Amino acid sequence: MKNSEKVAIKNKFLQIEITKTGAELCSIKNNENQEFIWQANPDIWGSSAPVLFPIIGALKDAVFYYEGKEYSVPKHGFIRHNNALHIIYHKEDSVTFEYTYNQETLKNYPFKFEFSISFSLDDKNLNVSHKVVNHGTNNMLFSLGGHPAFKCPLQEDEKYEDCVLQFEKIENSSRHLINNNGLQNGKTATSLIHTNLLPLSHKLFTEDALIYKDLRSKKISLAHQVKGKVLTVSFSEIGR
């Protein structure tokens, strides 16, 4: 997404950039010009923070069935890499992107949706909110997710292994395993045992993403073992 045109928002603490293609967060900098977002090195992973809608991950056999008809949606959905999102609101410290169903989307996803994502700054916090509206008469089936990647370590004299993920609460949870096709295989493995820390290592993700389904925490921090927290991500679910 490095070649996509970008939209900027800022306040006295943070400077943010979002790509117009896919509404992908591509930069968070503080007053010291410290970058916190992974800069999409294509040799490793060429994205920074894709928006996942209306599916997360891939479909089994690349298709799904609804009311007897076959449909297909690409991995992580069709907001990612989409250059047809519209900016419906933009001022110095906030911006909102929108994408609405059309005749082409209905061929692959049979729901009349309206999707928007907003970015707004509040002091040292970046708030990201999503809104999904069903303009049809049937229940709309969808998944919604974020996929942000953060720069780790921040400084050249630090090591990746110096960092940990710090959960808000003590966790006891197994991770759900993934097969070679990127789908869950129904198996689990021991992961978090009465701890709120997950040490980072380059071996941690050799079997793909870590999937947890029963975490108690609504906040997780990237932290340096000596210097403390670097940043915190939190989430909440708002009612219909």
Side-chain angles (χ1 to χ4, degrees), residues 119-180:
F119 302 84
S120 62
L121 290 170
D122 179 14
D123 290 335
K124 295 182 180 180
N125 300 310
L126 170 63
N127 299 315
V128 182
S129 59
H130 307 78
K131 182 179 180 181
V132 179
V133 178
N134 180 9
H135 289 288
T137 56
N138 296 338
N139 289 334
M140 186 168 70
L141 309 178
F142 71 92
S143 296
L144 174 64
H147 200 323
F150 301 104
K151 185 179 179 181
C152 181
L154 284 185
Q155 308 298 336
E156 293 184 1
D157 61 348
E158 298 173 346
K159 296 186 298 182
Y160 186 68
E161 291 80 4
D162 293 335
C163 299
V164 298
L165 297 180
Q166 181 177 329
F167 294 88
E168 174 190 20
K169 298 179 179 180
I170 297 296
E171 301 288 355
N172 289 281
S173 184
S174 297
R175 62 188 183 91
H176 294 255
L177 303 183
I178 299 174
N179 62 25
N180 292 333

Side-chain angles (χ1 to χ4, degrees), residues 66-80:
Y66 180 74
E67 294 187 343
K69 295 183 179 180
E70 181 179 296
Y71 300 92
S72 180
V73 175
K75 184 177 181 181
H76 293 324
F78 43 64
I79 300 299
R80 184 187 193 189

Side-chain angles (χ1 to χ4, degrees), residues 25-81:
L25 178 65
C26 62
S27 180
I28 299 176
K29 290 182 179 179
N30 62 14
N31 289 338
E32 298 175 353
N33 205 38
Q34 172 64 64
E35 178 64 73
F36 291 90
I37 290 292
W38 166 254
Q39 291 302 289
N41 181 348
D43 294 333
I44 300 174
W45 189 56
S47 297
S48 293
V51 180
L52 316 184
F53 174 85
I55 65 170
I56 297 173
L59 295 169
K60 183 178 181 181
D61 300 322
V63 299
F64 73 96
Y65 297 89
Y66 180 74
E67 294 187 343
K69 295 183 179 180
E70 181 179 296
Y71 300 92
S72 180
V73 175
K75 184 177 181 181
H76 293 324
F78 43 64
I79 300 299
R80 184 187 193 189
H81 305 318

